[in-house]
Amino acid sequence: MTSPAGITLPVQIKRAADTVRAVFGAALDLALPQLCPACRAPVEGRGLCPACWSKLSFISRPYCERLGIPFVYDPGPGILSMEAIADPPAYHRARAAVRFDEISRALVHCLKYGDRLDLAPMMGQWMSHAGRELLAAADALVPVPLHWRRLWARRFNQSAMLAAAISAESRLPVVATALKRVKPTVQQVGLSRSERAANVQGAFRVPPEGRGAVAGRRLVLVDDVLTSGATVDGCARALLRAGAANVDVLIFARVAEPARTSI
Ligand SMILES: [Zn+2]
């Protein structure tokens, strides 16, 4: 009883609070089954229920080797889509795990706004599989950054969460300092293609502290959803201007109308 109560009490309270939290947290894990992020049905383990899982649309070949957009028929190896030829992006190749639809939208939404960070490892695994060729040829992962104001409001960057999950699979380092969103862009939803491009114009920059991790490196940009590709194109431009040797893009879900070929 030599120590003054004023010093020991807060420590004891803190320890007690930690214990309560640990016990209560464990009890919650036991008591509450996880819910399917898409239909809210209780599921065993984590992730989607079997019905929603079967509705997921994974993207596989044949697709445009450049943009990764699926073809409706197989035009033969190495064929590019008309979009890739007519309007080539700044990045080299893009790959996505799944098509953006009702189910994948629910997964992204739960990760982003629903505090379902437990979904990131599963989503990252699918992305690692879809992007295995890109990852095998890369030096590092770069998550598409949020503007600091949005990061502050949301508390975490969903793209950084996905990059961390891909890093666990691929052992590639994540370089979060490589890119900065210097302009608070408005949400891309509802904008036309040219409005999207204008919205991200000058929005991304490689800060001085990121230059060393970019110059001469082969990078894979990581993002949750690709719609027009304007965001990742803006990011790729900034990275290439700063001397990146190559920039590929790995996305969780992409909006994908079937690609057309010139034949
Ligand atoms: Zn479900």
Side-chain angles (χ1 to χ4, degrees), residues 34-128:
Q34 285 287 348
L35 298 182
C36 170
C39 71
R40 321 254 333 132
V43 284
E44 280 186 41
R46 295 174 190 276
L48 293 165
C49 73
C52 291
W53 166 262
S54 70
K55 280 189 253 169
L56 260 179
S57 181
F58 286 96
I59 295 176
S60 58
R61 287 197 168 88
Y63 49 60
C64 167
E65 287 300 320
R66 189 83 198 267
L67 301 177
I69 306 174
F71 288 129
V72 277
Y73 64 95
D74 193 349
I79 299 292
L80 300 185
S81 59
M82 288 208 305
E83 293 93 319
I85 296 165
D87 189 14
Y91 52 83
H92 180 210
R93 296 171 292 182
R95 298 290 182 265
V98 294
R99 286 172 190 264
F100 190 66
D101 56 18
E102 190 195 331
I103 306 289
S104 59
R105 183 198 289 127
L107 283 170
V108 169
H109 200 270
C110 282
L111 173 71
K112 228 164 161 167
Y113 308 110
D115 276 337
R116 286 293 306 268
L117 296 181
D118 60 294
L119 295 171
M122 175 185 78
M123 295 163 78
Q125 236 170 40
W126 300 347
M127 292 170 79
S128 300

Side-chain angles (χ1 to χ4, degrees), residues 9-202:
L9 198 60
V11 175
Q12 284 167 351
I13 287 173
K14 189 184 173 301
R15 283 208 190 118
D18 285 348
T19 309
V20 167
R21 243 195 313 273
V23 171
F24 191 59
L28 266 182
D29 277 352
L30 285 176
L32 294 176
Q34 285 287 348
L35 298 182
C36 170
C39 71
R40 321 254 333 132
V43 284
E44 280 186 41
R46 295 174 190 276
L48 293 165
C49 73
C52 291
W53 166 262
S54 70
K55 280 189 253 169
L56 260 179
S57 181
F58 286 96
I59 295 176
S60 58
R61 287 197 168 88
Y63 49 60
C64 167
E65 287 300 320
R66 189 83 198 267
L67 301 177
I69 306 174
F71 288 129
V72 277
Y73 64 95
D74 193 349
I79 299 292
L80 300 185
S81 59
M82 288 208 305
E83 293 93 319
I85 296 165
D87 189 14
Y91 52 83
H92 180 210
R93 296 171 292 182
R95 298 290 182 265
V98 294
R99 286 172 190 264
F100 190 66
D101 56 18
E102 190 195 331
I103 306 289
S104 59
R105 183 198 289 127
L107 283 170
V108 169
H109 200 270
C110 282
L111 173 71
K112 228 164 161 167
Y113 308 110
D115 276 337
R116 286 293 306 268
L117 296 181
D118 60 294
L119 295 171
M122 175 185 78
M123 295 163 78
Q125 236 170 40
W126 300 347
M127 292 170 79
S128 300
H129 183 72
R132 58 197 179 281
E133 293 160 357
L134 278 50
L135 298 170
D139 298 315
L141 306 167
V142 179
V144 169
L146 291 177
H147 189 260
W148 67 266
R149 258 184 247 143
R150 192 164 290 162
L151 181 63
W152 188 76
R154 205 181 280 164
R155 292 178 294 121
F156 66 90
N157 174 0
Q158 74 281 0
S159 301
M161 293 295 156
L162 294 173
I166 296 166
S167 172
E169 295 281 319
S170 65
R171 301 279 148 215
L172 288 172
V174 180
V175 196
T177 51
L179 270 181
K180 236 181 183 162
R181 199 185 279 248
V182 290
K183 200 173 94 177
T185 50
V186 298
Q187 295 274 15
Q188 297 277 63
V189 177
L191 300 183
S192 73
R193 199 180 159 78
S194 57
E195 283 168 341
R196 283 167 193 264
N199 187 30
V200 297
Q201 177 82 40

